[in-house]
Amino acid sequence: EDQVTQSPEALRLQEGESSSLNCSYTVSGLRGLFWYRQDPGKGPEFLFTLYSAGEEKEKERLKATLTKKESFLHITAPKPEDSATYLCAVQATQGGSEKLVFGKGTKLTVNP
Amino acid sequence: DGGITQSPKYLFRKEGQNVTLSCEQNLNHDAMYWYRQDPGQGLRLIYYSQIVNDFQKGDIAEGYSVSREKKESFPLTVTSAQKNPTAFYLCASGLAGGQDTQYFGPGTRLTVL
């Protein structure tokens, strides 16, 4: 069974304190790994898609990386507006559908 | 503006009632999805549709029904058979048949009174 585990569940940082969020996964065959940001009471906002081990993508203070077993979302010099829940999801190659399997998310709080 | 709209934003239902949640997209996407989000849990797939007039059950389809009569629309009905319907419901869309991103709507919060 495809599984996604995100850690930590919650993370508190001071403004400017860089850190990383982890997403470990087990899938029969990885079609893609997705990162989303979700603010309270809103729908997830797409951040990145990674397809193969070694791939990296960046957007402002965020950088996503992928290995064969996990993905990291690195946050460099975070600001309070980066506070949100970050969701990781994987799409498997088997099953014939585009189903995403989601982790439970990491709630990030950045204090000024 | 292109995007996904969901209505209503908040919905209250009495026990025993069926309610329908609306999802519309103007992104010209073939595939549409319904997810349920509960506190402390990951998003779970209810139903999905890859083409008009066709849809498949997801992991938690019991107590829900859908239709896909138009490419732009994918309404979800929460029936009285759904034992614990209070949740945040999210609609998503994407291009079918490939490694494509799913884009989400703003969500509908359903509360059973």
Side-chain angles (χ1 to χ4, degrees):
Chain A
E1 182 181 336
D2 300 334
Q3 286 190 324
V4 177
T5 303
Q6 291 188 246
S7 61
E9 290 184 12
L11 180 63
R12 285 186 173 272
L13 299 173
Q14 288 298 120
E15 184 171 2
E17 179 187 2
S18 301
S19 188
S20 296
L21 282 54
N22 178 263
C23 172
S24 62
Y25 62 90
T26 54
V27 291
S28 50
L30 183 69
R31 196 177 225 183
L33 185 141
F34 303 83
W35 282 99
Y36 291 87
R37 169 195 169 124
Q38 187 175 26
D39 292 303
K42 300 199 174 173
E45 174 191 343
F46 169 70
L47 294 173
F48 304 108
T49 307
L50 302 167
Y51 296 110
S52 57
E55 190 174 359
E56 299 182 351
K57 289 192 176 173
E58 288 188 69
K59 179 181 179 181
E60 297 181 354
R61 295 177 293 282
L62 300 176
K63 179 180 176 180
T65 62
L66 181 65
T67 72
K68 288 187 178 180
K69 294 185 177 181
E70 57 191 351
S71 176
F72 291 94
L73 185 64
H74 307 277
I75 303 177
T76 302
K79 298 182 177 181
E81 53 261 43
D82 294 322
S83 297
T85 296
Y86 291 85
L87 304 176
C88 173
V90 298
Q91 186 180 60
T93 55
Q94 291 186 356
S97 77
E98 287 85 44
K99 185 176 86 167
L100 294 182
V101 177
F102 280 85
K104 295 181 180 180
T106 292
K107 184 177 181 181
L108 174 66
T109 303
V110 182
N111 296 314
Chain B
D1 286 338
I4 303 172
T5 57
Q6 292 185 240
S7 62
K9 185 173 182 179
Y10 299 99
L11 185 57
F12 298 90
R13 190 196 93 173
K14 293 182 180 179
E15 285 193 18
Q17 285 183 335
N18 293 354
V19 291
T20 297
L21 284 58
S22 170
C23 177
E24 304 275 334
Q25 55 96 3
N26 61 3
L27 299 168
N28 200 32
H29 286 161
D30 293 305
M32 296 187 75
Y33 310 82
W34 275 105
Y35 291 88
R36 170 181 172 139
Q37 188 174 37
D38 295 282
Q41 295 197 37
L43 275 68
R44 292 180 291 167
L45 182 65
I46 304 172
Y47 268 98
Y48 65 99
S49 168
Q50 295 176 307
I51 196 169
V52 174
N53 292 323
D54 188 42
F55 48 83
Q56 287 78 40
K57 293 182 179 180
D59 298 319
I60 55 165
E62 184 176 351
Y64 301 97
S65 66
V66 293
S67 63
R68 187 86 186 278
E69 297 177 0
K70 298 187 301 182
K71 185 176 183 177
E72 301 80 16
S73 179
F74 191 40
L76 174 74
T77 297
V78 184
T79 75
S80 57
Q82 169 48 236
K83 292 184 176 12
N84 185 20
T86 295
F88 190 48
Y89 290 87
L90 289 159
C91 178
S93 72
L95 295 174
Q99 299 169 315
D100 195 67
T101 300
Q102 292 182 19
Y103 297 91
F104 284 84
T108 293
R109 184 165 298 281
L110 173 63
T111 303
V112 174
L113 303 174

